[in-house]
PDB file of all heavy atoms in Angstrom:
ATOM      1  N   SER E 154     -77.594  46.581 -99.534  1.00  0.00           N
ATOM      2  CA  SER E 154     -76.622  45.754-100.242  1.00  0.00           C
ATOM      3  C   SER E 154     -75.245  45.874 -99.591  1.00  0.00           C
ATOM      4  O   SER E 154     -74.974  46.794 -98.809  1.00  0.00           O
ATOM      5  CB  SER E 154     -76.536  46.203-101.703  1.00  0.00           C
ATOM      6  OG  SER E 154     -75.903  47.459-101.807  1.00  0.00           O
ATOM      7  N   VAL E 155     -74.331  44.975 -99.946  1.00  0.00           N
ATOM      8  CA  VAL E 155     -72.977  45.023 -99.388  1.00  0.00           C
ATOM      9  C   VAL E 155     -72.190  46.202 -99.939  1.00  0.00           C
ATOM     10  O   VAL E 155     -71.140  46.549 -99.404  1.00  0.00           O
ATOM     11  CB  VAL E 155     -72.227  43.716 -99.681  1.00  0.00           C
ATOM     12  CG1 VAL E 155     -72.864  42.545 -98.954  1.00  0.00           C
ATOM     13  CG2 VAL E 155     -72.149  43.446-101.180  1.00  0.00           C
ATOM     14  N   GLN E 156     -72.688  46.852-100.989  1.00  0.00           N
ATOM     15  CA  GLN E 156     -72.028  48.043-101.476  1.00  0.00           C
ATOM     16  C   GLN E 156     -72.176  49.213-100.515  1.00  0.00           C
ATOM     17  O   GLN E 156     -71.373  50.140-100.516  1.00  0.00           O
ATOM     18  CB  GLN E 156     -72.580  48.444-102.851  1.00  0.00           C
ATOM     19  CG  GLN E 156     -72.022  47.648-104.019  1.00  0.00           C
ATOM     20  CD  GLN E 156     -72.574  46.222-104.055  1.00  0.00           C
ATOM     21  OE1 GLN E 156     -73.686  46.004-103.593  1.00  0.00           O
ATOM     22  NE2 GLN E 156     -71.813  45.303-104.595  1.00  0.00           N
ATOM     23  N   VAL E 157     -73.208  49.178 -99.693  1.00  0.00           N
ATOM     24  CA  VAL E 157     -73.448  50.251 -98.734  1.00  0.00           C
ATOM     25  C   VAL E 157     -73.375  49.739 -97.306  1.00  0.00           C
ATOM     26  O   VAL E 157     -72.703  50.323 -96.455  1.00  0.00           O
ATOM     27  CB  VAL E 157     -74.833  50.913 -98.988  1.00  0.00           C
ATOM     28  CG1 VAL E 157     -75.108  51.984 -97.947  1.00  0.00           C
ATOM     29  CG2 VAL E 157     -74.873  51.521-100.377  1.00  0.00           C
ATOM     30  N   SER E 158     -74.049  48.664 -97.021  1.00  0.00           N
ATOM     31  CA  SER E 158     -74.154  48.148 -95.653  1.00  0.00           C
ATOM     32  C   SER E 158     -73.488  46.780 -95.579  1.00  0.00           C
ATOM     33  O   SER E 158     -74.149  45.741 -95.611  1.00  0.00           O
ATOM     34  CB  SER E 158     -75.627  48.062 -95.238  1.00  0.00           C
ATOM     35  OG  SER E 158     -76.254  49.318 -95.386  1.00  0.00           O
ATOM     36  N   ALA E 159     -72.167  46.824 -95.508  1.00  0.00           N
ATOM     37  CA  ALA E 159     -71.417  45.568 -95.559  1.00  0.00           C
ATOM     38  C   ALA E 159     -71.493  44.790 -94.244  1.00  0.00           C
ATOM     39  O   ALA E 159     -71.487  43.560 -94.230  1.00  0.00           O
ATOM     40  CB  ALA E 159     -69.964  45.861 -95.898  1.00  0.00           C
ATOM     41  N   PHE E 160     -71.532  45.502 -93.107  1.00  0.00           N
ATOM     42  CA  PHE E 160     -71.546  44.866 -91.785  1.00  0.00           C
ATOM     43  C   PHE E 160     -70.437  43.822 -91.677  1.00  0.00           C
ATOM     44  O   PHE E 160     -70.662  42.682 -91.266  1.00  0.00           O
ATOM     45  CB  PHE E 160     -72.918  44.254 -91.493  1.00  0.00           C
ATOM     46  CG  PHE E 160     -74.034  45.257 -91.460  1.00  0.00           C
ATOM     47  CD1 PHE E 160     -75.003  45.277 -92.454  1.00  0.00           C
ATOM     48  CD2 PHE E 160     -74.104  46.223 -90.461  1.00  0.00           C
ATOM     49  CE1 PHE E 160     -76.020  46.225 -92.441  1.00  0.00           C
ATOM     50  CE2 PHE E 160     -75.114  47.167 -90.443  1.00  0.00           C
ATOM     51  CZ  PHE E 160     -76.080  47.174 -91.444  1.00  0.00           C
ATOM     52  N   SER E 161     -69.228  44.223 -92.057  1.00  0.00           N
ATOM     53  CA  SER E 161     -68.092  43.299 -92.053  1.00  0.00           C
ATOM     54  C   SER E 161     -66.948  43.844 -91.218  1.00  0.00           C
ATOM     55  O   SER E 161     -65.778  43.574 -91.488  1.00  0.00           O
ATOM     56  CB  SER E 161     -67.615  43.077 -93.505  1.00  0.00           C
ATOM     57  OG  SER E 161     -67.256  44.308 -94.124  1.00  0.00           O
ATOM     58  N   SER E 162     -67.280  44.629 -90.192  1.00  0.00           N
ATOM     59  CA  SER E 162     -66.259  45.251 -89.343  1.00  0.00           C
ATOM     60  C   SER E 162     -65.865  44.334 -88.190  1.00  0.00           C
ATOM     61  O   SER E 162     -66.471  43.283 -87.958  1.00  0.00           O
ATOM     62  CB  SER E 162     -66.805  46.563 -88.776  1.00  0.00           C
ATOM     63  OG  SER E 162     -67.861  46.302 -87.862  1.00  0.00           O
ATOM     64  N   LYS E 163     -64.849  44.756 -87.461  1.00  0.00           N
ATOM     65  CA  LYS E 163     -64.461  44.031 -86.236  1.00  0.00           C
ATOM     66  C   LYS E 163     -65.624  44.010 -85.256  1.00  0.00           C
ATOM     67  O   LYS E 163     -65.844  42.989 -84.568  1.00  0.00           O
ATOM     68  CB  LYS E 163     -63.252  44.703 -85.586  1.00  0.00           C
ATOM     69  CG  LYS E 163     -61.939  44.488 -86.295  1.00  0.00           C
ATOM     70  CD  LYS E 163     -60.807  45.168 -85.530  1.00  0.00           C
ATOM     71  CE  LYS E 163     -59.470  44.933 -86.215  1.00  0.00           C
ATOM     72  NZ  LYS E 163     -58.357  45.587 -85.490  1.00  0.00           N
ATOM     73  N   PHE E 164     -66.374  45.101 -85.176  1.00  0.00           N
ATOM     74  CA  PHE E 164     -67.497  45.145 -84.249  1.00  0.00           C
ATOM     75  C   PHE E 164     -68.548  44.106 -84.621  1.00  0.00           C
ATOM     76  O   PHE E 164     -69.106  43.438 -83.736  1.00  0.00           O
ATOM     77  CB  PHE E 164     -68.134  46.533 -84.230  1.00  0.00           C
ATOM     78  CG  PHE E 164     -69.294  46.651 -83.287  1.00  0.00           C
ATOM     79  CD1 PHE E 164     -69.097  46.793 -81.935  1.00  0.00           C
ATOM     80  CD2 PHE E 164     -70.605  46.591 -83.757  1.00  0.00           C
ATOM     81  CE1 PHE E 164     -70.175  46.882 -81.048  1.00  0.00           C
ATOM     82  CE2 PHE E 164     -71.678  46.675 -82.895  1.00  0.00           C
ATOM     83  CZ  PHE E 164     -71.468  46.830 -81.535  1.00  0.00           C
ATOM     84  N   ASP E 165     -68.836  43.947 -85.909  1.00  0.00           N
ATOM     85  CA  ASP E 165     -69.805  42.941 -86.336  1.00  0.00           C
ATOM     86  C   ASP E 165     -69.305  41.541 -86.008  1.00  0.00           C
ATOM     87  O   ASP E 165     -70.084  40.666 -85.599  1.00  0.00           O
ATOM     88  CB  ASP E 165     -70.072  43.071 -87.828  1.00  0.00           C
ATOM     89  CG  ASP E 165     -70.704  44.405 -88.177  1.00  0.00           C
ATOM     90  OD1 ASP E 165     -71.830  44.677 -87.715  1.00  0.00           O
ATOM     91  OD2 ASP E 165     -70.057  45.202 -88.883  1.00  0.00           O
ATOM     92  N   ALA E 166     -67.995  41.332 -86.173  1.00  0.00           N
ATOM     93  CA  ALA E 166     -67.420  40.044 -85.801  1.00  0.00           C
ATOM     94  C   ALA E 166     -67.510  39.838 -84.296  1.00  0.00           C
ATOM     95  O   ALA E 166     -67.760  38.723 -83.816  1.00  0.00           O
ATOM     96  CB  ALA E 166     -65.980  39.967 -86.278  1.00  0.00           C
ATOM     97  N   PHE E 167     -67.320  40.905 -83.527  1.00  0.00           N
ATOM     98  CA  PHE E 167     -67.468  40.832 -82.071  1.00  0.00           C
ATOM     99  C   PHE E 167     -68.880  40.416 -81.689  1.00  0.00           C
ATOM    100  O   PHE E 167     -69.073  39.540 -80.814  1.00  0.00           O
ATOM    101  CB  PHE E 167     -67.099  42.183 -81.457  1.00  0.00           C
ATOM    102  CG  PHE E 167     -67.642  42.407 -80.073  1.00  0.00           C
ATOM    103  CD1 PHE E 167     -67.034  41.797 -78.980  1.00  0.00           C
ATOM    104  CD2 PHE E 167     -68.751  43.221 -79.849  1.00  0.00           C
ATOM    105  CE1 PHE E 167     -67.541  42.003 -77.693  1.00  0.00           C
ATOM    106  CE2 PHE E 167     -69.250  43.426 -78.582  1.00  0.00           C
ATOM    107  CZ  PHE E 167     -68.645  42.816 -77.496  1.00  0.00           C
ATOM    108  N   TYR E 172     -64.699  37.683 -82.888  1.00  0.00           N
ATOM    109  CA  TYR E 172     -63.567  38.574 -82.678  1.00  0.00           C
ATOM    110  C   TYR E 172     -63.578  39.010 -81.223  1.00  0.00           C
ATOM    111  O   TYR E 172     -64.634  39.276 -80.643  1.00  0.00           O
ATOM    112  CB  TYR E 172     -63.658  39.812 -83.578  1.00  0.00           C
ATOM    113  CG  TYR E 172     -62.551  40.818 -83.327  1.00  0.00           C
ATOM    114  CD1 TYR E 172     -61.251  40.567 -83.752  1.00  0.00           C
ATOM    115  CD2 TYR E 172     -62.803  42.020 -82.646  1.00  0.00           C
ATOM    116  CE1 TYR E 172     -60.232  41.485 -83.514  1.00  0.00           C
ATOM    117  CE2 TYR E 172     -61.798  42.933 -82.396  1.00  0.00           C
ATOM    118  CZ  TYR E 172     -60.515  42.670 -82.840  1.00  0.00           C
ATOM    119  OH  TYR E 172     -59.507  43.565 -82.597  1.00  0.00           O
ATOM    120  N   VAL E 219     -78.576  43.057 -84.450  1.00  0.00           N
ATOM    121  CA  VAL E 219     -77.287  42.453 -84.791  1.00  0.00           C
ATOM    122  C   VAL E 219     -76.609  43.185 -85.928  1.00  0.00           C
ATOM    123  O   VAL E 219     -75.489  42.872 -86.290  1.00  0.00           O
ATOM    124  CB  VAL E 219     -77.441  40.963 -85.143  1.00  0.00           C
ATOM    125  CG1 VAL E 219     -77.908  40.163 -83.929  1.00  0.00           C
ATOM    126  CG2 VAL E 219     -78.398  40.768 -86.314  1.00  0.00           C
ATOM    127  N   THR E 220     -77.282  44.183 -86.516  1.00  0.00           N
ATOM    128  CA  THR E 220     -76.665  45.032 -87.530  1.00  0.00           C
ATOM    129  C   THR E 220     -76.962  46.501 -87.213  1.00  0.00           C
ATOM    130  O   THR E 220     -77.608  47.198 -87.982  1.00  0.00           O
ATOM    131  CB  THR E 220     -77.190  44.681 -88.943  1.00  0.00           C
ATOM    132  OG1 THR E 220     -78.627  44.737 -88.947  1.00  0.00           O
ATOM    133  CG2 THR E 220     -76.723  43.304 -89.377  1.00  0.00           C
ATOM    134  N   PRO E 221     -76.509  46.994 -86.057  1.00  0.00           N
ATOM    135  CA  PRO E 221     -76.825  48.365 -85.664  1.00  0.00           C
ATOM    136  C   PRO E 221     -76.150  49.358 -86.600  1.00  0.00           C
ATOM    137  O   PRO E 221     -75.054  49.124 -87.114  1.00  0.00           O
ATOM    138  CB  PRO E 221     -76.255  48.466 -84.254  1.00  0.00           C
ATOM    139  CG  PRO E 221     -75.152  47.456 -84.212  1.00  0.00           C
ATOM    140  CD  PRO E 221     -75.637  46.325 -85.070  1.00  0.00           C
ATOM    141  N   ARG E 301     -70.532  54.371 -88.182  1.00  0.00           N
ATOM    142  CA  ARG E 301     -69.900  53.306 -88.962  1.00  0.00           C
ATOM    143  C   ARG E 301     -68.971  53.896 -90.016  1.00  0.00           C
ATOM    144  O   ARG E 301     -69.285  54.897 -90.651  1.00  0.00           O
ATOM    145  CB  ARG E 301     -70.959  52.431 -89.626  1.00  0.00           C
ATOM    146  CG  ARG E 301     -71.564  51.403 -88.698  1.00  0.00           C
ATOM    147  CD  ARG E 301     -72.443  50.419 -89.444  1.00  0.00           C
ATOM    148  NE  ARG E 301     -72.909  49.348 -88.577  1.00  0.00           N
ATOM    149  CZ  ARG E 301     -72.262  48.214 -88.378  1.00  0.00           C
ATOM    150  NH1 ARG E 301     -71.122  47.992 -88.994  1.00  0.00           N
ATOM    151  NH2 ARG E 301     -72.750  47.289 -87.573  1.00  0.00           N
ATOM    152  N   ASN E 302     -67.828  53.244 -90.186  1.00  0.00           N
ATOM    153  CA  ASN E 302     -66.837  53.625 -91.199  1.00  0.00           C
ATOM    154  C   ASN E 302     -66.295  55.034 -91.013  1.00  0.00           C
ATOM    155  O   ASN E 302     -65.731  55.610 -91.937  1.00  0.00           O
ATOM    156  CB  ASN E 302     -67.402  53.441 -92.609  1.00  0.00           C
ATOM    157  CG  ASN E 302     -67.589  51.986 -92.971  1.00  0.00           C
ATOM    158  OD1 ASN E 302     -66.738  51.151 -92.682  1.00  0.00           O
ATOM    159  ND2 ASN E 302     -68.703  51.664 -93.597  1.00  0.00           N
ATOM    160  N   MET E 305     -62.730  54.859 -91.832  1.00  0.00           N
ATOM    161  CA  MET E 305     -62.322  54.200 -93.081  1.00  0.00           C
ATOM    162  C   MET E 305     -61.396  55.106 -93.884  1.00  0.00           C
ATOM    163  O   MET E 305     -61.633  56.314 -94.029  1.00  0.00           O
ATOM    164  CB  MET E 305     -63.526  53.827 -93.932  1.00  0.00           C
ATOM    165  CG  MET E 305     -63.153  53.164 -95.256  1.00  0.00           C
ATOM    166  SD  MET E 305     -64.562  52.543 -96.188  1.00  0.00           S
ATOM    167  CE  MET E 305     -64.855  50.995 -95.330  1.00  0.00           C
ATOM    168  N   ARG E 397     -62.432  52.752 -84.501  1.00  0.00           N
ATOM    169  CA  ARG E 397     -61.751  52.082 -85.603  1.00  0.00           C
ATOM    170  C   ARG E 397     -62.279  50.675 -85.834  1.00  0.00           C
ATOM    171  O   ARG E 397     -62.112  50.124 -86.923  1.00  0.00           O
ATOM    172  CB  ARG E 397     -60.249  52.037 -85.336  1.00  0.00           C
ATOM    173  CG  ARG E 397     -59.549  53.384 -85.467  1.00  0.00           C
ATOM    174  CD  ARG E 397     -58.126  53.305 -85.000  1.00  0.00           C
ATOM    175  NE  ARG E 397     -57.388  54.535 -85.291  1.00  0.00           N
ATOM    176  CZ  ARG E 397     -56.240  54.879 -84.706  1.00  0.00           C
ATOM    177  NH1 ARG E 397     -55.700  54.064 -83.784  1.00  0.00           N
ATOM    178  NH2 ARG E 397     -55.636  55.992 -85.028  1.00  0.00           N
ATOM    179  N   THR E 398     -62.930  50.104 -84.836  1.00  0.00           N
ATOM    180  CA  THR E 398     -63.486  48.753 -85.017  1.00  0.00           C
ATOM    181  C   THR E 398     -64.752  48.765 -85.857  1.00  0.00           C
ATOM    182  O   THR E 398     -65.268  47.703 -86.204  1.00  0.00           O
ATOM    183  CB  THR E 398     -63.808  48.084 -83.669  1.00  0.00           C
ATOM    184  OG1 THR E 398     -64.944  48.696 -83.061  1.00  0.00           O
ATOM    185  CG2 THR E 398     -62.612  48.127 -82.724  1.00  0.00           C
ATOM    186  N   LEU E 399     -65.255  49.946 -86.208  1.00  0.00           N
ATOM    187  CA  LEU E 399     -66.498  50.058 -86.981  1.00  0.00           C
ATOM    188  C   LEU E 399     -66.237  50.121 -88.486  1.00  0.00           C
ATOM    189  O   LEU E 399     -67.168  50.334 -89.260  1.00  0.00           O
ATOM    190  CB  LEU E 399     -67.284  51.302 -86.542  1.00  0.00           C
ATOM    191  CG  LEU E 399     -67.649  51.361 -85.051  1.00  0.00           C
ATOM    192  CD1 LEU E 399     -68.398  52.653 -84.762  1.00  0.00           C
ATOM    193  CD2 LEU E 399     -68.470  50.156 -84.643  1.00  0.00           C
ATOM    194  N   THR E 400     -64.984  49.941 -88.897  1.00  0.00           N
ATOM    195  CA  THR E 400     -64.634  50.017 -90.312  1.00  0.00           C
ATOM    196  C   THR E 400     -64.890  48.688 -91.005  1.00  0.00           C
ATOM    197  O   THR E 400     -64.375  47.646 -90.579  1.00  0.00           O
ATOM    198  CB  THR E 400     -63.154  50.399 -90.468  1.00  0.00           C
ATOM    199  OG1 THR E 400     -62.936  51.678 -89.853  1.00  0.00           O
ATOM    200  CG2 THR E 400     -62.758  50.466 -91.942  1.00  0.00           C
ATOM    201  N   ASP E 401     -65.687  48.697 -92.050  1.00  0.00           N
ATOM    202  CA  ASP E 401     -65.964  47.485 -92.814  1.00  0.00           C
ATOM    203  C   ASP E 401     -64.719  46.995 -93.547  1.00  0.00           C
ATOM    204  O   ASP E 401     -63.806  47.753 -93.860  1.00  0.00           O
ATOM    205  CB  ASP E 401     -67.081  47.749 -93.837  1.00  0.00           C
ATOM    206  CG  ASP E 401     -68.450  47.818 -93.207  1.00  0.00           C
ATOM    207  OD1 ASP E 401     -68.737  46.984 -92.335  1.00  0.00           O
ATOM    208  OD2 ASP E 401     -69.246  48.720 -93.569  1.00  0.00           O
ATOM    209  N   GLY E 402     -64.732  45.672 -93.812  1.00  0.00           N
ATOM    210  CA  GLY E 402     -63.637  45.066 -94.538  1.00  0.00           C
ATOM    211  C   GLY E 402     -62.806  44.115 -93.698  1.00  0.00           C
ATOM    212  O   GLY E 402     -61.799  43.567 -94.185  1.00  0.00           O
ATOM    213  N   PHE E 403     -63.209  43.883 -92.438  1.00  0.00           N
ATOM    214  CA  PHE E 403     -62.425  43.002 -91.573  1.00  0.00           C
ATOM    215  C   PHE E 403     -62.685  41.537 -91.889  1.00  0.00           C
ATOM    216  O   PHE E 403     -61.751  40.738 -92.015  1.00  0.00           O
ATOM    217  CB  PHE E 403     -62.740  43.289 -90.102  1.00  0.00           C
ATOM    218  CG  PHE E 403     -62.037  42.382 -89.135  1.00  0.00           C
ATOM    219  CD1 PHE E 403     -60.674  42.456 -88.959  1.00  0.00           C
ATOM    220  CD2 PHE E 403     -62.751  41.438 -88.394  1.00  0.00           C
ATOM    221  CE1 PHE E 403     -60.014  41.615 -88.077  1.00  0.00           C
ATOM    222  CE2 PHE E 403     -62.123  40.590 -87.501  1.00  0.00           C
ATOM    223  CZ  PHE E 403     -60.745  40.685 -87.342  1.00  0.00           C
ATOM    224  N   THR E 404     -63.951  41.149 -92.000  1.00  0.00           N
ATOM    225  CA  THR E 404     -64.265  39.736 -92.226  1.00  0.00           C
ATOM    226  C   THR E 404     -64.302  39.363 -93.703  1.00  0.00           C
ATOM    227  O   THR E 404     -64.205  38.183 -94.038  1.00  0.00           O
ATOM    228  CB  THR E 404     -65.631  39.380 -91.591  1.00  0.00           C
ATOM    229  OG1 THR E 404     -66.652  40.254 -92.132  1.00  0.00           O
ATOM    230  CG2 THR E 404     -65.578  39.531 -90.080  1.00  0.00           C
ATOM    231  N   ARG E 405     -64.451  40.334 -94.572  1.00  0.00           N
ATOM    232  CA  ARG E 405     -64.373  40.097 -96.016  1.00  0.00           C
ATOM    233  C   ARG E 405     -64.048  41.423 -96.687  1.00  0.00           C
ATOM    234  O   ARG E 405     -64.326  42.482 -96.130  1.00  0.00           O
ATOM    235  CB  ARG E 405     -65.707  39.543 -96.564  1.00  0.00           C
ATOM    236  CG  ARG E 405     -66.905  40.453 -96.393  1.00  0.00           C
ATOM    237  CD  ARG E 405     -68.164  39.832 -96.972  1.00  0.00           C
ATOM    238  NE  ARG E 405     -69.316  40.720 -96.816  1.00  0.00           N
ATOM    239  CZ  ARG E 405     -70.111  40.724 -95.759  1.00  0.00           C
ATOM    240  NH1 ARG E 405     -69.878  39.870 -94.766  1.00  0.00           N
ATOM    241  NH2 ARG E 405     -71.125  41.563 -95.674  1.00  0.00           N
ATOM    242  N   PRO E 406     -63.464  41.402 -97.867  1.00  0.00           N
ATOM    243  CA  PRO E 406     -63.115  42.662 -98.527  1.00  0.00           C
ATOM    244  C   PRO E 406     -64.348  43.538 -98.716  1.00  0.00           C
ATOM    245  O   PRO E 406     -65.433  43.053 -99.033  1.00  0.00           O
ATOM    246  CB  PRO E 406     -62.539  42.192 -99.870  1.00  0.00           C
ATOM    247  CG  PRO E 406     -62.080  40.798 -99.618  1.00  0.00           C
ATOM    248  CD  PRO E 406     -63.028  40.221 -98.624  1.00  0.00           C
ATOM    249  N   TYR E 407     -64.140  44.827 -98.521  1.00  0.00           N
ATOM    250  CA  TYR E 407     -65.232  45.783 -98.712  1.00  0.00           C
ATOM    251  C   TYR E 407     -65.244  46.203-100.181  1.00  0.00           C
ATOM    252  O   TYR E 407     -64.285  46.818-100.655  1.00  0.00           O
ATOM    253  CB  TYR E 407     -65.052  46.985 -97.799  1.00  0.00           C
ATOM    254  CG  TYR E 407     -66.177  47.991 -97.867  1.00  0.00           C
ATOM    255  CD1 TYR E 407     -67.480  47.619 -97.602  1.00  0.00           C
ATOM    256  CD2 TYR E 407     -65.935  49.318 -98.181  1.00  0.00           C
ATOM    257  CE1 TYR E 407     -68.518  48.525 -97.672  1.00  0.00           C
ATOM    258  CE2 TYR E 407     -66.969  50.243 -98.246  1.00  0.00           C
ATOM    259  CZ  TYR E 407     -68.252  49.833 -97.979  1.00  0.00           C
ATOM    260  OH  TYR E 407     -69.290  50.743 -98.045  1.00  0.00           O
ATOM    261  N   PRO E 408     -66.307  45.883-100.928  1.00  0.00           N
ATOM    262  CA  PRO E 408     -66.276  46.087-102.372  1.00  0.00           C
ATOM    263  C   PRO E 408     -66.414  47.524-102.828  1.00  0.00           C
ATOM    264  O   PRO E 408     -66.203  47.817-103.997  1.00  0.00           O
ATOM    265  CB  PRO E 408     -67.480  45.258-102.852  1.00  0.00           C
ATOM    266  CG  PRO E 408     -68.437  45.309-101.697  1.00  0.00           C
ATOM    267  CD  PRO E 408     -67.572  45.293-100.475  1.00  0.00           C
ATOM    268  N   ASN E 409     -66.748  48.417-101.927  1.00  0.00           N
ATOM    269  CA  ASN E 409     -67.065  49.785-102.355  1.00  0.00           C
ATOM    270  C   ASN E 409     -66.070  50.803-101.822  1.00  0.00           C
ATOM    271  O   ASN E 409     -66.358  51.980-101.756  1.00  0.00           O
ATOM    272  CB  ASN E 409     -68.478  50.172-101.917  1.00  0.00           C
ATOM    273  CG  ASN E 409     -69.085  51.231-102.816  1.00  0.00           C
ATOM    274  OD1 ASN E 409     -68.836  51.242-104.006  1.00  0.00           O
ATOM    275  ND2 ASN E 409     -69.861  52.130-102.242  1.00  0.00           N
ATOM    276  N   ARG E 410     -64.868  50.357-101.437  1.00  0.00           N
ATOM    277  CA  ARG E 410     -63.859  51.301-100.959  1.00  0.00           C
ATOM    278  C   ARG E 410     -63.304  52.076-102.147  1.00  0.00           C
ATOM    279  O   ARG E 410     -62.895  51.503-103.158  1.00  0.00           O
ATOM    280  CB  ARG E 410     -62.738  50.563-100.227  1.00  0.00           C
ATOM    281  CG  ARG E 410     -61.629  51.495 -99.715  1.00  0.00           C
ATOM    282  CD  ARG E 410     -60.613  50.755 -98.877  1.00  0.00           C
ATOM    283  NE  ARG E 410     -61.159  50.455 -97.549  1.00  0.00           N
ATOM    284  CZ  ARG E 410     -60.416  49.996 -96.536  1.00  0.00           C
ATOM    285  NH1 ARG E 410     -59.142  49.748 -96.708  1.00  0.00           N
ATOM    286  NH2 ARG E 410     -60.963  49.767 -95.368  1.00  0.00           N
TER     287      ARG E 410
END
Side-chain angles (χ1 to χ4, degrees):
S154 71
V155 295
Q156 280 73 28
V157 177
S158 304
F160 299 111
S161 58
S162 68
K163 286 182 178 180
F164 180 78
D165 297 296
F167 160 77
Y172 176 74
V219 295
T220 54
R301 280 189 174 271
N302 290 318
M305 179 173 280
R397 288 172 172 162
T398 71
L399 302 179
T400 300
D401 284 317
F403 177 69
T404 56
R405 61 179 180 271
Y407 183 57
N409 206 35
R410 179 174 285 190

